[in-house]
Amino acid sequence: MGSLERVHPVPPPGPLAYGGTKLINDARHPFRAPGRNDIRGPCPALNALASHGYINHNGIARPSEIVAAVMEAGFNLENSAAVLTTYAAFLVDGNLITDKLSIGGSTPRTGPKPPRPATAGGLNEHNTFEGDTSMTRLDAHFGDNHNFNEKLFRSFVEYSKKYGGGKYNLTVASEFRNKRFRDSIATNPEFSIVAPRFYTAYADAVLPVNLWVDGRQDDGQLDLEVARIFFEDGRFPHDFHRAARPTGTDNEIELFNDHPIEPGRNVKGVNTYKPDHSTPQKLDDRCLQYTYHANHTVPSVYPNPKGPLLESLKINLRYLFSAVKDKGCEEVFPYGK
């Protein structure tokens, strides 16, 4: 990591003081399109937060700032879901010395690169939190894995009309999630859907229903024009109000139960999908997911950390655990206490 002085990680904020709906696209936060040097990535929600100034417009933020923004400023994402998702991503995609994360590609603006195999590559880094079977982004095998794809969105619209009466809802999410799995198995010879992407794939499908429906509407029926504004433009619709209450991703288990699929990958080209039983399959077991991430995914990226990097890993793993502590999970210490 060079001689750069470590920035002490800022702890994530707690739950909102006021958990109701409120105007988000307000006069203090107008949309400002990203400039040539601004970073945007595969997550439309984070792109919108950056373009409206709720996190740094350049697309580089501390994980604690992202947690605050997805709760208070943008979507009313429930605190434990916000902390778990953000810190799980930060631990594999962020720069643990500078406490910075790119919401898109790798950049020296987050600080010097860590020792390999870590990359601090930002959220564009394939098969961490970005991964195959995105609803509106191509699989990495086909090239651009982080920009909006019109052909995929047209399929999204088609399924919303077929299964949702012209709206995107949980019924559509279930069918379209399954379609995208099957598409990748049939067309992508390098298709892989294991932890942590196995979990985020389901979250990607339910969060537009949970968080992008205006809080005054609050009916789980997402308008397709609103969906396009988020997915393609990375901005908030006019007069957008956040969700009516803090909301997480619990309904992803409904999608899995409709069309169960085991984690796995194509092993010898297309249509050679083989389950990988090393990835815990239980979408509704946050303790199991936390333990696997802390004991397996993070150490695979940082197998032998030392000095300030080791200390930052321990602190951020503690922040990750705070998201599941109230569920009765047992804390694990892959690098010692």
Side-chain angles (χ1 to χ4, degrees):
M1 296 296 296
S3 60
L4 189 71
E5 183 178 352
R6 178 171 69 94
V7 174
H8 195 281
V10 174
L16 296 177
Y18 168 67
T21 192
K22 61 181 282 190
L23 177 65
I24 297 303
N25 193 351
D26 60 19
R28 294 179 300 161
H29 300 92
F31 173 75
R32 185 160 61 93
R36 184 177 62 180
N37 296 319
D38 294 322
I39 293 172
R40 298 294 182 267
C43 178
L46 293 181
N47 293 343
L49 290 170
S51 290
H52 285 267
Y54 282 111
I55 59 174
N56 197 316
H57 191 268
N58 67 11
I60 299 168
R62 285 185 145 188
S64 55
E65 294 169 342
I66 292 175
V67 171
V70 296
M71 293 192 310
E72 174 66 39
F75 303 102
N76 218 347
L77 185 60
E78 187 268 329
N79 179 254
S80 65
V83 174
L84 182 66
T85 302
T86 301
Y87 280 86
F90 177 67
L91 278 158
V92 293
D93 288 337
N95 192 308
L96 295 163
I97 293 294
T98 61
D99 201 35
K100 291 181 179 179
L101 173 68
S102 164
I103 68 172
S106 177
T107 171
R109 285 180 286 172
T110 62
K113 284 188 175 296
R116 301 290 297 177
T119 65
L123 295 183
N124 285 4
E125 188 74 16
H126 184 56
N127 261 353
T128 51
F129 275 70
E130 184 283 327
D132 293 335
T133 77
S134 167
M135 295 193 294
T136 62
R137 270 69 173 168
L138 291 173
D139 288 4
H141 174 78
F142 301 112
D144 184 352
N145 67 337
H146 52 275
N147 286 312
F148 175 82
N149 183 274
E150 178 65 32
K151 183 177 179 180
L152 286 177
F153 185 73
R154 288 176 185 171
S155 186
F156 175 96
V157 170
E158 176 190 342
Y159 265 61
S160 296
K161 291 179 178 178
K162 182 177 180 179
Y163 294 101
K167 303 288 186 179
Y168 182 75
N169 54 32
L170 288 180
T171 301
V172 181
S174 176
E175 298 304 321
F176 196 62
R177 174 72 280 154
N178 184 54
K179 169 183 166 51
R180 292 295 297 126
F181 277 145
R182 302 303 167 188
D183 285 347
S184 290
I185 290 171
T187 63
N188 180 357
E190 299 177 312
F191 172 56
S192 174
I193 190 78
V194 296
R197 175 57 185 163
F198 181 73
Y199 312 123
T200 62
Y202 286 94
D204 288 351
V206 302
L207 286 177
V209 177
N210 295 350
L211 306 182
W212 294 1
V213 176
D214 192 289
R216 299 164 299 178
Q217 180 181 329
D218 194 26
D219 61 359
Q221 305 293 317
L222 180 64
D223 182 84
L224 296 181
E225 284 304 311
V226 171
R228 178 179 284 277
I229 287 170
F230 276 112
F231 278 126
E232 182 176 16
D233 299 340
R235 63 180 176 88
F236 291 114
H238 174 71
D239 198 35
F240 180 75
H241 287 62
R242 74 182 186 195
R245 66 196 63 80
T247 304
T249 61
D250 291 346
N251 45 15
E252 64 192 3
I253 193 63
E254 298 176 28
L255 276 60
F256 177 82
N257 288 337
D258 285 345
H259 300 285
I261 183 172
E262 294 183 88
R265 56 177 58 82
N266 277 338
V267 292
K268 294 182 180 179
V270 299
N271 291 317
T272 59
Y273 191 78
K274 182 178 180 180
D276 179 347
H277 298 296
S278 67
T279 292
Q281 183 174 304
K282 295 182 179 180
L283 287 176
D284 55 350
D285 191 334
R286 295 293 186 244
C287 293
L288 197 62
Q289 293 173 26
Y290 152 74
T291 301
Y292 186 86
H293 199 68
N295 276 341
H296 296 277
T297 305
V298 175
S300 74
V301 177
Y302 292 100
N304 190 32
K306 296 180 176 65
L309 176 58
L310 176 61
E311 292 307 308
S312 288
L313 275 164
K314 290 180 178 180
I315 293 170
N316 281 290
L317 282 165
R318 196 175 308 137
Y319 295 159
L320 179 69
F321 174 68
S322 72
V324 297
K325 182 178 181 180
D326 289 346
K327 297 183 181 298
C329 305
E330 181 179 350
E331 187 171 8
V332 297
F333 302 93
Y335 302 108
K337 295 184 179 182

